[in-house]
Amino acid sequence: MKIKKLLAFGLVITTSFSLVACSSSGGSDSNSTSSSKPDTTQSATASTPEPKSEPEKAPEPEPTPEPVAPSTIVVEGYDAEKNIIDIEVPYMPERIVTIDYVALDLLLELGYGDKIVGAAQSGLPAYLAEACKQYNIPDLGGLKEYDLEQMMSLEPDVIFSSGRTVSAYDTLTMIAPTIATSLDYDDVYNSFEELTRRNASIIGGEDQVEGILADYAKRVEKLQEQAEGKTMLLAIVTGGSINTLGNGSRGSIIGTTIGFENLAENVDTTHGDTSSYEFFLDVDPDYIFVIDRDTANSTDGATSAQELLDNEIMNQTQAFQNDNIIYLEPNIWYLVEGGLTAMDVMLSDIESAFK
């Protein structure tokens, strides 16, 4: 009995300890679960991003100012004694007078006819005369005999003159800055390029001429190849007689640039030395190139170069027999030698020798 009571008492104690242990275990789980829950208030506060400040924009670059064209430029020209001097002229002039057919040729070719307020037009080649009529350009007379009073009344910004009127520089420059165009006959083609670029720079046409000059240079190179080893005489018909021209004379581009051997190279006057038909037969060149000055000047009653050279002696030359007498366009070669359009005709005339 006593033993049963002890066992019952032990069982009660054991059960009590078990309940206490279970209770402790359950409490522990409850505490663990509670501590694993996030603190939502704190988390929300921590995860809210602070507002970002926008980066400063770089300042926009200031626009590049448009280049301002100069009001004047300085170019080389001639004084009355034909000394080379610096001359200040208006850049891109609005009112132009020209008593030079070479400058007139350039201005019209580049499309500046509306800027020409007066031009010498006596004896103009047809292509220039037609253009002057189209633009209704007042006629100032001839290359040497021009109307000075009319020129003054036109109030030009610049005057283009020629080697024929270079001695009038002092008079002309009192009206407006005056630029003379005069070819160097000892180096015609390079002189032509320099003067073309100079005159174009005055009117703002530098870029326009470069492509044309590049094309001409290719043609010159081909002609030089074709002319190598060939001889020629250069003749000018004036006053009913025939003269020979050297490499320092009008038309000398054929010898100095293209490379034909001029058999009268020591003649250096612009109108040549009077020659006989027998001289042409004795020298007997491969080619004879002819400028008809009388036709260029519209000389009354003059015999044409073709008629003059069609005679028994000239017909014995190898140039005649091989159809190698080349009659050059007289108005171009005598009046507009060195013009931009004129150079196209001049090269075409020489090219015809090889067709």
Side-chain angles (χ1 to χ4, degrees), residues 75-87 161-163 166 169-170 178-184 191 195 198:
V75 298
E76 286 189 348
Y78 297 107
D79 64 12
E81 286 74 41
K82 213 171 182 180
N83 299 309
I84 297 176
I85 59 172
D86 288 335
I87 302 175
S161 68
S162 70
V166 70
Y169 172 81
D170 292 338
T178 301
I179 303 297
T181 299
S182 183
L183 284 175
D184 178 2
S191 177
L195 292 172
R198 183 204 65 180

Side-chain angles (χ1 to χ4, degrees), residues 121 128-137:
Q121 298 179 41
L128 292 178
E130 291 169 7
C132 285
K133 185 177 180 181
Q134 176 187 345
Y135 284 104
N136 196 28
I137 298 171

